[in-house]
Amino acid sequence: MKLHEYQAKELLARYGVPVPEAYVASSAAEAVEAAGRLGGRVVVKAQVHAGGRGKAGGVKVASDAADAGRIAGSLIGTTLVTAQTGPQGAPVDRVLVEQTVDIERELYFSVITDGGLRRPVVIVSSAGGMEIEEVARETPERVLTEPIDPAVGLQPFQGRRLAEALELPAGAVRPFVALAEACYKAYMETDASMIEINPLVLTKDGRLLALDAKLSLDDDALFRHADALALRDTGQEDALEVEASEANIAYVKLDGNVGCMVNGAGLAMATMDIVKSAGAEPANFLDVGGGANEEKISTAILLMLSDPSVERVLVNIFGGILRCDIAARGIVDAYGKADRQPALVVRMLGTNADEGKQVLADSGLAIELVDTLREAAEAIAR
Amino acid sequence: MSILVDGNTRLLIQGITGREGSFHAERCAAYGTNVVAGVTPGKGGELFGGTVPVFNSVRAAVGETGANVALIFVPPPFAADAIMESADAGVPLVVCITEGVPVRDSTFVMRYLEGKGTRLIGPNCPGLISPGSKAKIGIMPGDIHTPGKVGVVSRSGTLTYEAVDQLTKAGIGQSTCVGIGGDPVSGTTFVDVLELFNDDPGTEAIVLIGEIGGTKEQQAAAYIKEHVRKPVASLIVGQTAPPGRRMGHAGAVITGEAALASAKVAALQDAGCHIIPTPADIGSTVAAMVG
């Protein structure tokens, strides 16, 4: 689950991470008031769940409070398209009005979990304000990764090592170590999957400040963070994906026109690749899960069909825990309820596949039944 | 021949009295696995299915029955505890089926396992099966498998069944099929399983099925290039996945160039693997490779 910049900064500030003074505004009038409190000259930043805001015109400097109001008014209520949002963009419901900062240096700081090392790592770079992957590719010597032993947490010597790599002035070393410890603590306590401060700035007067912040929480740990659910902004997510997540269905909207419904994430990705190999494009990723029942299958199909770009449907079920006859009944139920019946190719295998095919044959629906992935590809290609 | 599990496997099931645990305990036993014990705290003294003793703790179960493999079906909030309990009791192989274990928990579990003689497979995996010795430790449909000499290792569940089905229909049997799971932090890796297959006289060829996200496939490729003397066929799924989006599995997110399917395919190709062009070509590619 992604947080907005202002939410991430509020959370990090509670752990002691220094952030610029800033106020959230959801109207031009609120932005004027906020800028007034900050002395007039401010930065106005659109709050969306995506990077690349600056280049997309979502971050602007206001010369005075009235200007801040004008900028906020031009952003709030619009849709911001950045390199990371996709062509549909993300709605701007509020802006962050922030004090301007005199920057001496821009640095990079993040905490993530390294699956290969199986532990959290702190990553820093002296090349702040750039995509870290680009830095790692172009100038790998400017990126330092420090693995943290989860049994004892981040130690001060590790913080000093990172500060040295960043060539921080002597007076900024202790504050940096404290910031690293605070971020690591926040990362572990909130079950974060990523904390990224880019840039972390050293100001002209020698202070460290988190000028931007991204924070994502581990979806699988939300059960023990009831308070975090209030931070979710479903307006930043695709409406169908929100509906799917509430039905416990893994669904990701894509750009093609072949709707895919599959049990299992790996097989769902394989099915999308099959569609592509047949010269078509998948309209979605959809994993209905292992223990689905008839109702959940039906819900999944209806959800997929509510995407108007779906013109054909490929169902691929490998029955295991999920019996094919149950899946077939769910498909028939959904096609009976749906207001349109796009051409349907069904591939069923495994537990009760023959019974499932019989249910589909008896339904009177025009369904093309295939046995193998190759036949599925051929049917989609036609 | 096989790796990790065989006719000597004595299986303990944690969460045996739950819905999933009881269903799969019966399926494992029906396939021929020697299910010797169950553990559900508070239900010690019961008999599961009229024959399998249930214990309050893993330590008690191991002491009474000599269980040497644990299969875990407990819900996500309690999975880490279950894994560590089995490791504490000295169980050498622990297989965690549970999906949705928080990454932080898995991180602590892996730290706890350091220096202990316990291998973890999973979490969020289908388990493993050695068809030749009728040992099924997991949730896969047993009847699609057939004994043979091809080892299968995969991050996926149903896609592994797809691969096995294509192999069986092409007349190619399996030594052992291992699902290492789809989580970003997990126990046994591709490299671990490749090493075991490479040393197993009963395995003559290997099928590796990977997906987008992380760099586990690149690590596998480096190991194959350096050490593996047996032919390897590999398939990477997720060619059509968009960046930054979680494709069901918590670990299946394209977070950079190395996480792309194309980067993984290139690494495996460079390591001399036979690349399976599409998911429909698993059986035919392996048949040509071992033919």
Side-chain angles (χ1 to χ4, degrees):
Chain A
M1 188 185 96
K2 288 182 182 173
L3 266 56
H4 281 296
E5 175 195 4
Y6 77 92
Q7 296 168 326
K9 283 178 168 171
E10 282 170 14
L11 191 152
L12 291 174
R14 282 204 297 278
Y15 281 89
V17 175
V19 299
E21 187 178 355
Y23 301 94
V24 180
S26 45
S27 69
E30 285 178 21
V32 171
E33 193 196 327
R37 266 184 277 171
L38 292 168
R41 186 177 154 80
V42 292
V43 183
V44 181
K45 305 164 93 174
Q47 297 298 290
V48 292
H49 283 181
R53 292 175 303 170
K55 282 181 189 152
V59 179
K60 288 179 177 155
V61 178
S63 51
D64 55 33
D67 193 27
R70 276 192 296 276
I71 293 169
S74 72
L75 286 170
I76 293 167
T78 64
T79 299
L80 189 69
V81 180
T82 84
Q84 292 180 21
T85 59
Q88 76 284 356
V92 182
D93 295 329
R94 50 189 87 77
V95 295
L96 187 64
V97 180
E98 193 166 78
Q99 68 175 150
T100 55
V101 175
D102 290 325
I103 298 169
E104 175 72 26
R105 289 180 60 200
E106 295 191 54
L107 312 166
Y108 174 93
F109 180 97
S110 68
V111 189
I112 58 164
T113 295
D114 185 310
L117 297 173
R118 300 163 170 139
R119 36 184 70 184
V121 295
V122 173
I123 302 172
V124 299
S125 170
S126 54
M130 295 165 64
E131 294 259 348
I132 190 66
E133 290 180 340
E134 196 183 320
V135 179
R137 192 173 55 239
E138 305 288 333
T139 48
E141 69 280 2
R142 296 185 74 182
V143 178
L144 181 68
T145 301
E146 185 72 26
I148 310 301
D149 183 338
V152 296
L154 186 144
Q155 298 300 300
F157 79 86
Q158 296 180 294
R160 293 196 296 273
R161 179 184 293 163
L162 292 164
E164 191 180 353
L166 292 172
E167 298 174 331
L168 290 179
V173 171
R174 273 176 177 243
F176 176 83
V177 173
L179 178 143
E181 287 174 334
C183 285
Y184 179 77
K185 189 161 187 272
Y187 182 84
M188 296 305 274
E189 287 188 1
T190 64
D191 274 294
S193 49
M194 180 199 57
I195 292 177
E196 185 178 65
I197 301 175
N198 188 21
L200 169 68
V201 300
L202 183 67
T203 61
K204 296 265 190 215
D205 58 357
R207 291 176 302 136
L208 288 166
L209 277 181
L211 204 58
D212 193 4
K214 286 196 180 71
L215 201 154
S216 300
L217 300 174
D218 180 356
D219 292 334
D220 289 334
L222 290 176
F223 68 83
R224 58 189 175 205
H225 298 285
D227 51 332
L229 291 174
L231 301 176
R232 184 173 178 188
D233 181 358
T234 53
Q236 296 289 319
E237 302 169 40
D238 181 89
L240 281 180
E241 293 181 13
V242 174
E243 201 181 314
S245 74
E246 277 159 9
N248 206 16
I249 293 164
Y251 172 92
V252 178
K253 172 88 182 79
L254 302 170
D255 296 331
N257 61 11
V258 180
C260 300
M261 197 208 66
V262 188
N263 65 324
L267 192 60
M269 282 188 271
T271 304
M272 285 157 51
D273 291 350
I274 282 289
V275 169
K276 178 90 172 176
S277 76
E281 292 289 337
N284 62 273
F285 166 93
L286 196 165
D287 168 16
V288 76
N293 56 21
E294 182 180 328
E295 191 190 347
K296 194 171 172 190
I297 297 278
S298 176
T299 302
I301 297 259
L302 286 169
L303 187 99
M304 177 177 65
L305 291 180
S306 63
D307 170 7
S309 56
V310 169
E311 291 167 13
R312 287 176 294 166
V313 172
L314 172 58
V315 173
N316 186 10
I317 300 292
F318 204 120
I321 315 172
L322 171 63
R323 284 160 39 196
C324 289
D325 55 324
I326 302 274
R329 273 190 270 277
I331 296 166
V332 173
D333 180 66
Y335 262 63
K337 287 175 183 165
D339 50 9
R340 64 195 186 101
Q341 284 77 29
L344 181 58
V345 177
V346 178
R347 189 274 186 130
M348 279 188 171
L349 204 63
T351 313
N352 291 8
D354 290 338
E355 291 86 338
K357 289 177 192 169
Q358 194 59 49
V359 169
L360 295 175
D362 293 346
S363 71
L365 292 168
I367 298 172
E368 184 167 1
L369 282 168
V370 298
D371 288 321
T372 66
L373 283 185
R374 193 178 304 285
E375 288 169 18
E378 286 162 2
I380 288 298
R382 275 197 290 277
Chain B
M1 285 292 288
S2 57
I3 62 168
L4 296 169
V5 294
D6 55 28
N8 298 318
T9 294
R10 298 175 63 78
L11 183 63
L12 154 87
I13 295 178
Q14 290 171 266
I16 196 168
T17 55
R19 188 170 59 93
E20 299 275 317
S22 58
F23 178 82
H24 289 291
E26 284 170 9
R27 291 294 188 95
C28 290
Y31 188 76
T33 315
N34 187 13
V35 181
V36 299
V39 170
T40 300
K43 297 205 172 170
E46 292 183 8
L47 274 184
F48 174 79
T51 53
V52 180
V54 178
F55 297 87
N56 284 323
S57 74
V58 176
R59 185 173 285 190
V62 170
E64 290 287 323
T65 67
N68 55 17
V69 178
L71 180 61
I72 295 177
F73 287 100
V74 308
F78 318 112
D81 177 57
I83 296 166
M84 291 188 280
E85 186 184 358
S86 268
D88 174 72
V91 178
L93 178 64
V94 178
V95 181
C96 183
I97 303 297
T98 311
E99 177 176 4
V101 178
V103 170
R104 187 181 75 186
D105 291 11
S106 296
T107 309
F108 282 130
V109 163
M110 292 315 300
R111 180 68 180 86
Y112 182 82
L113 294 183
E114 280 177 26
K116 294 193 167 57
T118 293
R119 170 188 294 286
L120 171 66
I121 296 179
N124 189 16
C125 77
L128 71 168
I129 182 169
S130 296
S133 43
K134 294 282 171 207
K136 174 173 120 75
I137 289 79
I139 60 174
M140 64 291 284
D143 57 3
I144 59 173
H145 298 79
T146 192
K149 295 184 170 176
V150 171
V152 179
V153 60
S154 166
R155 276 166 76 180
S156 167
T158 47
L159 180 59
T160 314
Y161 316 161
E162 172 73 41
V164 167
D165 186 65
Q166 286 188 32
L167 292 177
T168 294
K169 282 177 178 158
I172 302 163
Q174 306 91 40
S175 54
T176 302
C177 306
V178 186
I180 60 172
D183 277 0
V185 174
S186 53
T188 297
T189 63
F190 277 133
V191 170
D192 297 327
V193 179
L194 286 168
E195 189 176 358
L196 292 166
F197 278 143
N198 202 31
D199 294 340
D200 173 35
T203 299
E204 292 180 353
I206 302 164
V207 178
L208 182 149
I209 298 173
E211 62 192 35
I212 55 162
T215 55
K216 294 187 170 89
E217 289 76 8
Q218 280 88 340
Q219 290 160 4
Y223 185 83
I224 290 166
K225 195 171 183 175
E226 187 77 11
H227 299 286
V228 177
R229 301 173 307 277
K230 299 173 182 179
V232 181
S234 66
L235 170 71
I236 304 292
V237 299
Q239 322 261 357
T240 48
R245 304 304 310 278
R246 170 176 166 170
M247 296 285 117
H249 289 154
V253 186
I254 298 176
T255 47
E257 285 166 19
L260 287 168
S262 56
K264 294 167 186 289
V265 170
L268 290 160
Q269 196 149 26
D270 178 60
C273 294
H274 298 248
I275 302 300
I276 301 169
T278 82
D281 305 308
I282 303 167
S284 56
T285 306
V286 179
M289 183 176 82
V290 299

